């Protein structure tokens, strides 16, 4: 078993490797040729131009200014002076709320760690059970854990009392954070400028009408039932075929531009082949070929566009209905319209860029069937996922490979290669499964039929959380597959389950400490490096990028990976809560992880602040700034890297809250189970009120705060409406909303002509550099609000 | 063990006793001096005048017309021809929905019984395990049960398949009944005439405002946030002291009238004593005494009335806010008003007579604490209720009685008396507890803080259902106290619990058959007799009734005892579902119970019909009618006896549905557990999808129908509003709503003057006799809608 020395060694190694990642990152990121990998968001915003266009040739690719290599850690102290409103302004409330999960963890665990080291560690240390039992294997850490307290000792009362203190402290932190987030969300929604989704309600399951089209039906229905408030509506088309045509055309256009560029550079008309990827077939003039191809596709597209617009079958029984005021939209979104509650279902329209267009046509019955199937599938995925993997692993052995790829035979015959393959192959199969798991879960959520990307993310996160809980947390404690665990749980009495798990908990402390260091510490550092996107970008840049637009797309900003990231933080919080009363020694490791991640994210604020108000004239300052951005602002990908797909205004916080409460509940049950094996009579029943209180606390918070994340209060809507009527009485809302909820394919054809921009960017609350000239066309722009200039 | 013969004997005895009850009832009820006990509702409606006022002296008390004693069963065939809309019109939707619970049971069990006797009984009969094992005790019934099928037999597939058939049939019936009820409710709400609660929303948790009174605050808030729709509001006073003064005054007034009557009869001024109950103290002139007393109280009451109206502390932070249209009220009831979702809570206002006035001042936090405490208390009540009872039982033994009542000693010394006392005393203690249990549960629901009587009834029913489930159903199967069961359940693995219970199920069939006969059959018949109210009425009439009004109050109509009655029906449905695949022989007994109760309730419709359209001129016909009413319409207390406190438009149906689904779920688990002991390999896992499907079915129905019972669709509201605007454009809604939601004590002082009446009674959809002259003053009238004549 690991001694204290082992742990310290391991911790140093992991800290050093994290540091190494940071160094590598610092050096790589200030190299101008990596600029696009690490600052994609700034490019998309148009505030950063390609550094390869100016300066000496060498300095285009390698940063030669030595000063930038020093001082790269001086952001650290400054990182904690942060104006949060600024950050919300720049990165959105979602990102800030995400960072606050780390803060929540820190707020819980720092006092918990102090208290446990002050109270529980001495109690554990005094009861020297383990030293007396010389024949037992035990580590130094175990001396600080509950295992060192002799059975039947009065010392366990310390653990019981501290468990209450811990729970109440967690309640307090959770409650106040929920309150802060609810206020932040309300303030954010109140301060938002005009947005189409404030006026719009998504109506689904519109019943068919034999005499009217969907559009007429919607109009008549709302003219009757919201006579004073109905403004306009937009029907939803099933435009899958059209979307594929549009994407095909975009591809051809890129080739066309590429050959055009080539022609301009070489003054020689380029040739291409008509076959697949231009690799075979008749040779033709490339520019003419693509011109005609695009022409043909244009016609096809026009026909399809007409068909979709005219064919009644292409219309989905759903619509975006807009109202004259936010008040009316809030009313419509929260009320039931029709006697049959499965028809005319209303809900808040998601942001236009947040809409998931494929899920609008599902009738209510099918929706419930889909959810049933997904629930069953999720159960099997969680508890039986080892079966197919074991099957694949049994196939993917040396002999199997030899059969499929006979040419590898000589290589595999080498003994060392063989052993490596045999050792790693099963692990790799598992790794591949775990890597595609989030994608599988996302697909399941899509099948469940949620109409917005943010909802899909939240539901996937919930599924991943359950998977982690069963397969990583429980799977590590009770070694064995989830299936075996399921069998154990079914065969054990309900009181025995926490007992069985609880007994294992102290023994697994070392394992989890290592896990936190390897997966947590090094994981955060490794993620900074963005190794995969780095390699991908350079590969694409070298082989595939034909146009400026392609380079733009190759940046692949991505967004915060909420469905994967959040459940992982929850695992650390769960570990902390479980071990706080049992092995307090684990807490500092979690605190370091949380603090590391938090400081890093926090720093972005300072950078944002400087980039706006600081002097950028001085070249040294500029490099300093660049450095800061490189090292940290890129760490805090929120600013520089992530281009959020949507802004849900922290709609995920109720889920975060719920999962921390689940963690707390589990930790209480496990402590109860552990103590019931310690021969302290029936004293462990003193812990029984805690889980009940936890459930009550959850329900209280749910009633107190949750509706703030689901519904929009009429009072707020009325205030905004009144304000707007006073300041802009002449505003033409109908024109503003006209094309807000158009399927993206209907826009893409004229996207380069029109001047799509966010309303908020036209009149930002704080002057930013975001309104600078745009370098790249807004092809991917998912902010389709037509300006009403 | 009981043989078939025993069961038949027992059934005959029970049928005979039920018949005897019916006979006793038929004879008692047509005696005019019992008239008021059996027709209180007609008296309250004013359509029936006291028979003691006319005719020969003897016929005032005893019915001498022999013909009425014959033919008293000829209502039976007519009972099934029933126009349901009529019944809804007369007795309200709640009563009709209540009757439909029996219908639901019949619809489920008749096909189930036919199928089981066709399929399962032969299978069970063929597998002659019990006959071969000659040494076992078994009854004839067991030969028809699943116990007769040998272990490992393929015959169990019949049970598995039939379990699917049964479940799907139950799904179908539940679904279609839910659908019918939802439609009935929607139709009922749509056809209702104007009622104050249609325009009114109950607003609770109004935050305090330092500058404004509650009334001003409410007015300003709604003027701002519902500017186009707000009409008026009514604040709620904390009038507990005033209410006690009013009730005291009413008491004195009764005494006054009594002495006045006496004086008129005897022409001698009556005397009374000033002490308690007029039993001691100085002797004074009674009429003068009470006149002065009433005068004094009048002054006190006026002072208190002023205080309540002026004292800001007497105002509860709640209000009834009325809107100009049903649409606006529906909007306000369904939306969130304030940023803080625990303030300005809105919900549909209950009917004025349904309001429970004591629960308006509870802030949100206290409410959740109260619910936590009640939940914990309910848990202890269910699982530990035997502890205090055992304690009381141990006290209430012969020795204890001898100590407390020494004068009983000689009596108790008699051996036979002693044994009777010792045998019955514990049972009586238990009976007393069970009799007060509904009251305890109702008190718990009141503590939980629901604002309407209908909600209190529903919540009490839910609690009673849990109690019955644990203590009667499980308690009868696993003999032993609930506490012992709890221990068993905690110590058994989750898979073992259905197994353990399942094994006992077939053995308990005889017990439950007897239970159904004694509690069900005889229970229904005994309830017809209304023995307790009968005795009470005559006692009161003899000793206490001083005035006509007192006699009116002595009738004590009561209402359908939903919190007790519904959970008991659910027990029978649960028994049927559990035994359908196991011991089909039990089903006919349940069907007889349900049919008996159903036909009886159904008959009231025919009577109603006749009383309206039939000829009442012929005296024989009249007596026939009277007889019918006596025998059956009184059976079906809905018409004649029960005076519903409220009309919730079948708002309890989702609960009924849920409990039947719970029963189905339990039956599936128990069959699974039973089959897992039958050595049929893993074939019993074929039943595993059933519980999953049941949960899905429940969630589907919940989504499909439940909101119809909670929310009011805007479309319907709009239709009614439009219709009303067209037909009555000049209607003064504000005056109509002015005093609708006034605390009853503010009305009682002038209740005898004003002409309170239901709007619907003034313009009934169907001409009824209900608008006849009123015999008795409407003191208890809980329909305080001031007419707008």
């Amino acid at each position: 078993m690991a001694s204290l020395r082992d742990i310290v060694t391991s911790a140093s190694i992991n800290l050093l490797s994290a540091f190494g990642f940071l160094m590598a990152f610092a050096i790589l990121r200030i190299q101008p040729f990596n600029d696009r990998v690490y600052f994609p968001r700034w490019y998309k915003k148009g505030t950063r131009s390609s550094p390869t266009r100016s300066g000496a040739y060498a300095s285009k690719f390698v940063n030669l200014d030595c000063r930038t290599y020093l001082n790269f850690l001086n952001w650290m102290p400054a990182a904690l002076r942060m104006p949060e409103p600024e950050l919300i302004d720049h990165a959105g409330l979602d990102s800030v709320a995400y960072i606050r999960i780390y803060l929540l963890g820190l707020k819980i665990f720092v006092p918990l760690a102090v208290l446990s080291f002050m109270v529980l560690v001495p109690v554990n240390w005094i009861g020297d059970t383990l030293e007396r039992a010389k024949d037992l294997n035990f580590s130094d850490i175990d001396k600080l854990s509950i295992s060192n307290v002799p059975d039947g000792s009065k010392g366990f009362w310390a653990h019981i009392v501290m468990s209450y203190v811990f729970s109440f402290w967690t309640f307090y932190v959770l409650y106040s954070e929920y309150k802060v987030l609810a206020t932040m969300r309300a303030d954010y929604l109140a301060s938002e400028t005009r947005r189409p989704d404030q006026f719009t309600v998504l109506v689904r399951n519109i019943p068919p009408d034999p005499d009217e089209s969907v559009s007429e039906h919607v109009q008549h229905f709302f003219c009757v039932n919201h006579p004073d408030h109905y403004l306009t509506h937009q029907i939803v088309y099933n435009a899958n075929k059209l979307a594929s045509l549009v994407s095909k055309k975009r591809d051809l256009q890129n080739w066309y531009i590429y050959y055009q560029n080539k022609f301009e550079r070489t003054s020689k008309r380029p040739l291409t082949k008509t076959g697949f990827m231009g690799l075979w077939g008749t040779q033709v003039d490339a520019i003419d070929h693509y011109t005609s191809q695009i022409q043909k596709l244009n016609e096809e597209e026009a026909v399809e566009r007409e068909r979709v617009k005219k064919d009644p079958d292409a219309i989905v029984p759903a619509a975006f209905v807009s109202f004259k005021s936010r008040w009316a939209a809030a009313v419509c979104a929260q009320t039931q319209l029709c006697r049959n509650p499965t028809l005319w279902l209303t809900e808040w329209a998601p942001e236009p860029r947040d809409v998931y267009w494929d899920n609008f046509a599902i009738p209510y019955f099918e929706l419930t069937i889909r959810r049933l199937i997904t629930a069953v599938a999720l159960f099997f995925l969680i508890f039986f996922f080892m079966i197919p993997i074991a099957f694949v692993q049994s196939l993917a052995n040396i002999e199997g490979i030899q059969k499929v790829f006979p040419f590898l035979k000589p290589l595999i015959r080498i003994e060392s290669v063989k052993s490596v393959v045999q050792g790693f192959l099963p692990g790799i199969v598992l790794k591949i499964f775990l890597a595609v798991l989030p994608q599988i879960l996302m697909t399941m959520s899509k099948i469940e039929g949620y109409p917005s990307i943010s909802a899909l993310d939240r539901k996937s996160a919930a599924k991943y959380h359950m998977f982690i809980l069963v397969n990583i947390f429980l799977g590590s404690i009770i070694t064995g597959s989830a299936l075996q665990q399921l069998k154990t749980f079914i065969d054990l009495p309900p009181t025995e389950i926490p007992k069985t798990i609880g007994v294992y908990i102290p023994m697994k402390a070392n394992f989890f400490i290592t896990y936190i260091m390897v997966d947590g510490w090094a994981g955060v550092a490794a993620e900074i490096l963005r190794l995969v996107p780095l390699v991908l970008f350079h590969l694409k840049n070298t082989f595939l990028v034909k146009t400026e637009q392609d380079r733009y797309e190759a940046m692949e900003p991505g967004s915060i990976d909420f469905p994967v990231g959040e459940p992982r933080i929850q695992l650390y919080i769960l570990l902390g809560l479980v071990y706080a009363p049992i092995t307090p020694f684990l807490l500092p490791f979690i605190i370091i992880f949380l603090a590391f991640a938090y400081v890093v994210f926090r720093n972005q604020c300072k950078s944002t602040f400087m980039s706006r108000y600081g002097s950028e004239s001085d070249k040294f300052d500029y490099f300093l700034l660049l450095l800061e951005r490189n090292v940290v602002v890129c760490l805090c990908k929120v600013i520089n890297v992530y281009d959020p797909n949507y802004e849900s205004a922290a709609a995920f916080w109720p889920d975060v809250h719920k999962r921390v409460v689940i963690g707390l509940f589990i930790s209480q049950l496990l402590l109860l189970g552990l103590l019931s094996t310690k021969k302290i009579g029936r004293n462990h029943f003193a812990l029984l009120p805690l889980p009940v209180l936890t459930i009550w606390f959850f329900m209280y918070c749910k009633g107190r705060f949750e509706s703030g994340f689901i519904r929009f209060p009429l009072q707020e809507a009325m205030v905004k409406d009144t304000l707007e009527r006073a300041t802009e009485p002449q505003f033409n809302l109908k024109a503003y909303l006209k094309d807000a909820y158009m399927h993206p394919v209907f826009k893409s054809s004229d996207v380069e002509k029109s001047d799509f921009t966010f309303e908020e960017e036209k009149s930002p609350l704080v002057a930013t550099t975001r309104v600078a000239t745009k370098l790249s066309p807004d092809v991917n722009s998912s902010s389709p609000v037509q300006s009403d200039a």
Side-chain angles (χ1 to χ4, degrees), chain A:
Chain A
M1 277 213 176
S3 69
L4 196 58
R5 187 184 300 264
D6 294 341
I7 296 277
V8 170
T9 318
S10 169
S12 333
I13 291 169
N14 276 289
L15 274 179
L16 275 176
S17 71
F19 195 74
F21 274 123
L22 277 176
M23 285 298 295
F25 164 76
I27 291 163
L28 279 175
R29 300 310 130 89
I30 52 172
Q31 309 310 327
F33 73 100
N34 284 331
D35 212 50
R36 277 170 185 279
V37 185
Y38 297 113
F39 298 93
R41 191 150 192 234
W42 295 95
Y43 276 90
K44 291 222 165 178
K45 290 245 171 193
T47 48
R48 196 179 181 91
S49 63
S50 183
T52 50
R53 290 195 176 174
S54 58
Y57 186 78
S59 71
K60 275 183 197 170
F61 300 101
V62 183
N63 188 331
L64 299 176
D65 192 323
C66 300
R67 284 169 302 181
T68 62
Y69 290 97
L70 311 166
N71 307 323
F72 75 99
L73 279 175
N74 64 353
W75 54 270
M76 280 278 185
L80 289 170
R81 294 195 298 272
M82 169 217 76
E84 204 165 49
E86 271 294 317
L87 181 56
I88 294 174
D89 211 49
H90 181 82
L93 185 55
D94 275 348
S95 310
V96 173
Y98 189 76
I99 296 170
R100 282 193 85 102
I101 306 176
Y102 294 103
L103 186 66
L104 172 75
L106 282 175
K107 280 185 183 167
I108 293 175
F109 289 119
V110 171
L112 249 62
V114 172
L115 273 176
S116 350
F117 275 91
M118 275 168 54
V119 178
L120 294 185
V121 166
V123 171
N124 294 342
W125 186 260
I126 290 165
D128 46 354
T129 318
L130 295 174
E131 287 197 354
R132 262 185 263 139
K134 285 288 182 202
D135 52 334
L136 267 175
N137 268 338
F138 67 93
S139 70
D140 298 328
I141 294 167
D142 287 345
K143 276 193 226 158
L144 303 180
S145 93
I146 204 168
S147 318
N148 204 27
V149 182
D151 280 0
S153 157
K154 290 247 185 300
F156 287 116
W157 277 106
H159 298 87
I160 292 174
V161 171
M162 288 318 281
S163 180
Y164 272 88
V165 174
F166 291 170
S167 295
F168 281 107
W169 174 251
T170 311
F171 289 163
Y172 170 73
V173 173
L174 276 172
Y175 178 82
S176 49
E177 275 296 303
Y178 212 157
K179 196 171 180 177
V180 168
L181 260 292
T183 316
M184 271 165 77
R185 179 180 158 94
D187 288 342
Y188 182 80
L189 293 178
S191 72
E192 264 179 342
T193 47
R194 185 182 300 117
R195 278 182 11 182
D197 50 303
Q198 291 166 344
F199 297 91
T200 308
V201 164
L202 169 60
V203 181
R204 295 206 279 174
N205 291 13
I206 298 168
D209 190 295
D211 303 322
E212 292 180 313
S213 71
V214 172
S215 179
E216 286 166 344
H217 196 184
V218 169
Q219 187 173 5
H220 294 165
F221 187 84
F222 281 93
C223 278
V224 168
N225 292 305
H226 284 272
D228 305 331
H229 309 289
Y230 168 74
L231 183 68
T232 179
H233 73 273
Q234 220 146 0
I235 47 175
V236 178
Y237 295 100
N238 181 358
N240 291 345
K241 196 183 161 195
L242 188 58
S244 79
L245 283 178
V246 167
S247 93
K248 204 168 152 195
K249 195 177 89 177
R250 191 183 300 154
D251 211 40
L252 290 174
Q253 271 168 336
N254 281 344
W255 281 105
Y256 173 75
I257 295 166
Y258 167 72
Y259 284 114
Q260 198 74 41
N261 288 348
K262 204 170 170 186
F263 176 56
E264 278 163 19
R265 260 205 316 279
T266 59
S267 302
K268 194 183 119 194
R269 284 193 82 80
L271 300 173
T272 187
K273 286 170 182 164
T274 53
F276 177 73
M277 291 284 280
L279 293 180
W280 55 75
T282 1
Q283 208 166 40
V284 291
D285 182 280
I287 293 175
D288 292 350
H289 174 69
Y290 281 107
T291 314
S292 71
Q293 289 270 316
I294 290 169
Q295 192 56 38
K296 225 171 75 190
L297 218 57
N298 265 340
E299 283 157 22
E300 250 181 80
E301 197 193 311
V303 171
E304 172 68 15
R305 201 175 287 274
E306 282 311 301
R307 191 197 68 78
V308 167
K309 279 191 179 158
K310 281 191 183 139
D311 186 2
D313 291 343
I315 294 173
V316 162
F320 289 94
V321 178
S322 298
F323 292 88
K324 285 180 191 149
S325 62
R326 292 175 182 86
W327 186 90
V331 159
C332 183
Q334 293 177 44
T335 49
Q336 185 185 331
L337 277 169
C338 179
R339 182 190 271 209
N340 181 339
T342 62
L343 298 179
W344 296 101
L345 288 178
T346 56
E347 60 185 293
W348 271 111
E351 266 188 301
R353 56 181 167 159
D354 189 16
V355 174
Y356 183 72
W357 292 93
D358 296 358
N359 273 341
F360 284 122
I362 309 165
Y364 179 76
F365 180 77
E366 196 186 324
L367 210 64
T368 58
I369 288 282
R370 280 162 175 243
R371 294 202 178 150
L372 170 68
I373 291 169
T374 328
V376 173
L378 183 67
F379 174 83
F380 280 95
L381 183 69
I382 289 177
F383 285 98
F384 297 87
F385 83 99
M386 281 310 292
I387 294 174
I389 288 171
F391 180 70
V392 173
Q393 283 172 342
S394 74
L395 289 185
N397 53 11
I398 293 285
E399 287 71 34
I401 291 174
Q402 279 181 350
K403 262 184 211 155
V404 183
F405 306 105
F407 55 88
L408 287 178
K409 236 176 205 171
L411 189 70
I412 288 169
R413 287 245 174 88
I414 304 163
E415 204 51 41
S416 60
V417 172
K418 193 175 170 179
S419 64
V420 166
V421 169
Q422 270 178 327
F424 274 89
L425 216 52
I428 288 169
V429 169
L430 185 61
K431 271 275 173 216
I432 290 172
F433 167 76
L434 289 177
V436 297
L437 180 65
Q439 207 48 51
I440 296 173
L441 296 175
M442 177 57 90
T443 310
M444 286 168 70
S445 303
K446 280 178 183 167
I447 291 171
E448 284 183 290
Y450 298 99
S452 68
I453 299 165
S454 54
L456 289 174
D457 275 354
R458 287 200 294 279
K459 297 293 167 183
S460 303
K463 294 186 178 72
Y464 197 52
H465 178 243
M466 280 173 69
F467 186 88
I468 285 185
L469 213 58
V470 172
N471 283 300
I472 297 190
F473 179 68
L474 292 182
S476 306
I477 293 173
I478 317 178
T479 329
S481 74
L483 189 59
Q484 286 165 333
Q485 288 169 42
L486 186 67
K487 230 173 114 57
T488 322
F489 293 154
I490 287 176
D491 291 344
L492 281 178
T495 43
E496 284 298 314
I497 294 169
K499 217 181 271 181
T500 316
I501 304 172
V503 170
Y504 282 110
I505 289 279
M507 305 180 197
K508 292 287 174 178
N510 290 332
F511 169 78
F512 281 118
I513 288 174
T514 319
Y515 184 86
I516 291 165
M517 288 192 292
V518 173
D519 185 83
W521 297 6
V524 166
E527 222 174 301
I528 292 162
L529 214 56
R530 297 195 88 218
L531 255 185
V532 177
L534 184 71
V535 173
L536 273 180
F537 172 72
H538 285 296
L539 280 177
K540 279 188 185 170
N541 208 9
T542 316
F543 295 108
L544 283 174
V545 164
K546 296 180 283 278
T547 63
E548 188 65 25
Q549 184 181 324
D550 274 11
R551 183 169 298 127
Y552 176 81
E553 277 171 16
M555 292 191 304
E556 273 188 358
S559 56
I560 289 184
D561 202 2
F562 182 81
V564 175
E566 196 266 349
R568 284 176 61 182
I569 310 175
Q570 292 287 353
L571 175 65
Y572 294 115
I573 295 179
L574 170 67
L575 286 177
L577 289 170
V578 167
Y579 279 102
I582 294 173
T583 311
F585 194 72
L586 188 129
L587 289 182
F589 293 87
I590 287 174
I591 290 174
I592 291 173
F593 162 73
L594 292 170
F596 184 40
Y598 178 67
V599 172
V600 151
F601 273 94
R602 188 87 167 187
N603 182 70
Q604 66 200 353
C605 285
K606 217 220 122 206
S607 321
T608 327
F609 191 73
M610 282 191 66
S611 73
R612 283 180 189 168
Y613 303 109
S615 66
E616 290 191 85
S617 53
D618 188 303
K619 217 208 159 189
F620 177 73
D621 272 5
Y622 174 73
F623 270 110
L624 219 84
L625 201 68
L626 188 68
L627 194 58
E628 275 185 16
R629 276 194 204 143
N630 276 334
V631 178
V632 186
V633 179
C634 295
L635 285 185
C636 35
K637 303 171 171 193
V638 170
I639 290 273
N640 297 320
V641 178
Y642 290 150
D643 184 20
N645 287 329
Y646 56 81
E647 174 59 51
S648 70
F652 57 78
W653 194 262
D655 291 352
V656 173
H657 179 86
K658 185 170 81 186
R659 283 174 213 143
V660 177
V661 173
I662 291 174
L664 187 62
F665 188 75
I666 291 175
S667 76
Q668 290 160 347
L669 287 188
L670 293 186
L671 183 66
L672 185 60
L674 176 62
L675 286 188
S676 69
T677 64
K678 293 292 185 185
K679 302 186 182 122
I680 49 169
R682 296 192 170 277
N683 287 340
H684 62 277
F685 282 128
L687 280 175
L688 215 50
L690 264 190
V692 178
L693 274 177
T694 306
I695 293 171
W696 170 81
F697 171 76
F698 173 69
M699 301 216 292
Y700 173 71
C701 285
K702 193 179 163 78
R704 177 76 179 71
F705 296 116
E706 200 182 76
S707 77
F709 290 83
I710 298 167
R711 308 166 101 190
F712 190 57
L714 296 188
Q715 194 183 16
E716 307 269 305
M718 194 48 104
V719 168
K720 282 188 81 106
D721 283 339
T722 314
L723 203 71
E724 195 174 90
R725 262 198 296 275
T727 52
E728 289 180 87
Q730 298 304 318
F731 184 71
N732 186 347
L733 189 62
K734 198 162 184 173
Y736 172 73
L737 292 170
K738 196 170 149 274
D739 293 327
Y741 281 96
M742 203 178 242
H743 196 295
V745 290
F746 290 113
K747 287 178 188 158
S748 60
S749 59
D750 44 9
V751 72
E752 271 137 310
K753 294 172 244 153
S754 67
D755 179 29
F756 282 133
T757 170
F758 254 137
E759 182 74 6
E760 58 170 320
E761 290 185 7
K762 291 190 67 200
S763 57
L765 288 178
V766 183
T768 66
T769 49
R770 278 187 272 167
V771 277
T773 55
K774 303 217 166 185
L775 252 190
S776 47
D778 246 347
V779 173
N780 273 354
S781 165
S782 34
S783 54
V785 182
Q786 187 151 27
S787 93
D788 52 299

